[in-house]
Amino acid sequence: MVEGRNALNHYRPGKDPYVAAHILERLPLVVGDRGIFIVGMFSYFRWVDDEADERVDLTKSQKLEFIDREMKLADGQPPQNPLRMEIVFENLPWHAVPQQEARGQVKILLSSIADDVSHQGYLVRSEQEITDYNRRTILPVVTGLFLSLNGKSPELSDPLLELLDAYIRIGSLEGLGDDLRQGVLKLPLKSKETGVTSVEEVLAEYDRQKFNETKWSNLFKILRNIGSFAYLNIPAWQKAACIIYMCADVLVKKPLFVQREKAVKGLSERQSINRLSVLER
């Protein structure tokens, strides 16, 4: 977690290794204030996510209090002593976007982060809870992006929602090890739908066969629904960019680089015990 004068630079999209993030960083050159708004919002949420995931010195209740503070900020009620990234949020060019709708998307995404915090400590989520969580995570991102770019909602269809859910699930496979190190599980377990699990139990269920089956099942869902981008309420060039990016990611990157050995490298049952002790303080 980084605060102070260097926070905005630390959390800007260009610091990420992903191609999409580097493209995002160049949006201000293309669309001016709308691009500045998108880049600033991206940076703000990277900071919020770090606070929720990385701050092992905070208890679960303290993290939820922090997210409640950010909810009030999204409602236009800034704290008396704002942190650097909260000032960044307040100073975004809100005039360039539909402000009320944009703030609503911010609150939906904050609720998704709060859900993650609530499930820290290896709490299991059911299949339906995972689906609901994935939608609350990706919907405000996609809707907020195109709302900021075009001034109107992209109107996501059910096939596109299925595609996006599958995309998030592949991301949860790719980040399985990192999530477990933070005491969070973003994938369903067949062995249980409620209660507390452990690193050992998750790794036993998501062995190489289950990991690969889940990966390919969701990749095929994406390919089956990829044409749904064509029906979004956005300009044609944006539709084409979405399809090209998704095809490249699904056909090239995900099959090659989402591998169980890489995802869970270095995990151990001891990490599960240590993480629980920190969260329960």
Side-chain angles (χ1 to χ4, degrees), residues 215-254:
K215 177 179 77 172
W216 286 107
S217 171
N218 284 291
L219 284 172
F220 287 133
K221 281 183 183 179
I222 292 171
L223 290 173
R224 185 173 70 238
N225 292 296
I226 204 157
S228 58
F229 280 110
Y231 300 97
L232 282 173
N233 184 29
I234 59 177
W237 72 267
Q238 293 176 12
K239 297 176 184 179
C242 289
I243 292 172
I244 291 169
Y245 174 79
M246 192 63 68
C247 283
D249 208 34
V250 171
L251 295 176
V252 180
K253 182 185 174 185
K254 298 302 185 189

Side-chain angles (χ1 to χ4, degrees), residues 122 180 197-200 268-277:
Y122 303 101
L180 290 175
T197 187
S198 66
V199 170
E200 185 178 50
S268 68
E269 176 67 9
R270 175 57 53 186
Q271 286 179 292
S272 177
I273 295 170
N274 289 345
R275 184 69 188 181
L276 275 171
S277 66

Side-chain angles (χ1 to χ4, degrees), residues 58-74:
L58 298 180
T59 64
K60 185 182 294 188
S61 62
Q62 287 173 322
K63 291 179 180 181
L64 291 173
E65 287 172 7
F66 163 73
I67 295 172
D68 183 62
R69 168 186 169 116
E70 301 312 300
M71 284 282 195
K72 291 176 181 175
L73 176 64

Side-chain angles (χ1 to χ4, degrees), residues 3-4 7-8 11 33 36-49 66-79 82-110 113 140 144 148:
E3 271 298 345
L8 181 58
Y11 291 113
D33 280 352
I36 293 171
F37 180 88
I38 293 167
V39 169
M41 191 63 75
F42 177 96
S43 303
Y44 168 77
F45 268 107
R46 278 199 64 205
W47 169 72
V48 172
D49 202 49
F66 163 73
I67 295 172
D68 183 62
R69 168 186 169 116
E70 301 312 300
M71 284 282 195
K72 291 176 181 175
L73 176 64
D75 269 334
Q77 303 173 47
L83 300 170
R84 170 60 177 160
M85 292 305 296
E86 291 171 335
I87 295 172
V88 168
F89 181 91
E90 277 292 283
N91 290 336
L92 289 174
W94 290 95
H95 65 273
V97 302
Q99 183 170 162
Q100 185 175 353
E101 293 92 330
R103 288 183 182 273
Q105 298 304 316
V106 168
K107 292 175 67 176
I108 295 172
L109 190 50
L110 285 171
I113 296 172
S148 301

Side-chain angles (χ1 to χ4, degrees), residues 16-53:
D16 272 12
Y18 306 109
V19 173
H22 287 272
I23 294 173
L24 198 68
E25 178 139 326
R26 286 159 178 78
L27 277 179
L29 300 176
V30 181
V31 293
D33 280 352
R34 287 172 291 158
I36 293 171
F37 180 88
I38 293 167
V39 169
M41 191 63 75
F42 177 96
S43 303
Y44 168 77
F45 268 107
R46 278 199 64 205
W47 169 72
V48 172
D49 202 49
D50 262 12
E51 288 283 302
D53 289 343

